[in-house]
Amino acid sequence: MTPAEYDFRKPPPGDIERNVTAWLTLACRRTNEAAAQALKYPATFQIAKVETPSAAYCLGFFPEGAISVPLAPPDAPGGGALLVFPNPVLIALLSGLIGEAPEALPADREPTPMESALVPHLVREFFVTPFLKSWPGVEPLVVDIGAPAAPAAVWTGGNEHNIFVTFTLSAPYGEHPIYLLLTRSGRWEQLAAVGLSPPVTPAPKSEIESVVRAMSVEMSVILGRADLTMRDVSDLTTGDVIVFDQKVTEPLDGLVSGARKFRVWPGVVGDRAAVVVDTITGD
């Protein structure tokens, strides 16, 4: 038996990390819906990886000039939480909110006053609201959006091992990371106790089509219709003739699961009733 190496600087994921992955996978779906409504250009967000390094490693990993937004009050017990953007990525997202559609990543510059005013809105709509709506913990998640600053200046979670999430933003200007740094204590400990299923990978389109094509559906043919009063129905006796509104010179309606799909002509095959498809209506 060969012992596996264990890196104490970056321990393997546990229940918290697995549940964070499931929680934020659901949140990304909501973020993508919000981005489709708010941005001038197409953009999608997804989780790239979840790690458990020390805070010192994370703070040294962030690119120079990165902008972080605290997502918890500084005095909240175990409330360390930072959303971190490389500055050009933040500029690109803010540009999309004001109607611009950059095809290349913007230059690394200071946000304009208008862009800076939109940072809380961006964080709330694309991250905080999806996080809250997808939160699986027993106690409600309460998040305050702090003022943007350098990550090291506002981090309150100490240097314990933390949860380090890397998101990938895919947009016309390429794929770029956005980071979320959480403590493994305090409110986030709730995620160790919840029972979340891991993200389910969608089946390939070809498999779905194959299953759908093999499903049984009900097809029926309407011979005709007639309007009768309740008195007419109660007076019917054996031998009475009811005249339908269907002409014998016109094809009948063929229904699939209650929806009209074909026009057909009636007939027989051996001793069984049958129809010949005349046209496909596509209703």
Side-chain angles (χ1 to χ4, degrees), residues 18 22 35 47 62 68 80 123 128 156 171 195 199-200 267 272:
R18 284 188 287 269
I47 290 182
F62 296 138
S68 68
V123 172
V128 171
T156 63
V200 178
R272 305 288 297 273

Side-chain angles (χ1 to χ4, degrees), residues 51-249:
E51 302 174 279
T52 56
S54 66
Y57 168 86
C58 298
L59 295 174
F61 178 85
F62 296 138
E64 184 178 355
I67 299 297
S68 68
V69 179
L71 297 185
D75 57 349
L82 285 185
L83 187 64
V84 183
F85 301 86
N87 192 50
V89 174
L90 180 61
I91 297 297
L93 290 172
L94 295 172
S95 297
L97 289 180
I98 59 177
E100 298 178 1
E103 296 184 357
L105 196 64
D108 190 349
R109 60 171 176 80
E110 291 292 323
T112 66
M114 177 182 293
E115 291 170 337
S116 296
L118 287 173
V119 171
H121 174 75
L122 170 73
V123 172
R124 181 181 302 105
E125 294 301 314
F126 286 12
F127 297 96
V128 171
T129 297
F131 290 173
L132 297 181
K133 289 185 176 180
S134 305
W135 176 247
V138 176
E139 298 180 8
L141 179 63
V142 178
V143 172
D144 288 346
I145 301 173
V154 291
W155 174 245
T156 63
N159 195 36
E160 64 178 52
H161 284 96
N162 299 278
I163 305 168
F164 185 38
V165 182
T166 303
F167 299 97
T168 297
L169 164 64
S170 300
Y173 42 83
E175 294 187 351
H176 303 280
I178 296 172
Y179 308 102
L180 178 66
L181 179 58
L182 308 170
T183 60
R184 299 181 83 254
S185 58
R187 69 190 66 197
W188 314 113
E189 284 184 311
Q190 297 183 45
L191 291 170
V194 297
L196 282 175
S197 301
V200 178
T201 302
K205 182 179 179 181
S206 58
E207 292 185 14
I208 297 176
E209 291 179 345
S210 177
V211 171
V212 170
R213 290 180 182 277
M215 291 174 60
S216 298
V217 295
E218 177 182 304
M219 179 176 177
S220 56
V221 175
I222 304 299
L223 180 61
R225 296 180 175 83
D227 292 328
L228 300 175
T229 65
M230 288 300 298
R231 178 178 296 277
D232 293 334
V233 174
S234 63
D235 291 342
L236 287 175
T237 60
T238 303
D240 287 345
V241 175
I242 300 174
V243 179
F244 292 147
D245 59 3
Q246 175 68 42
K247 296 181 180 180
V248 296
T249 57

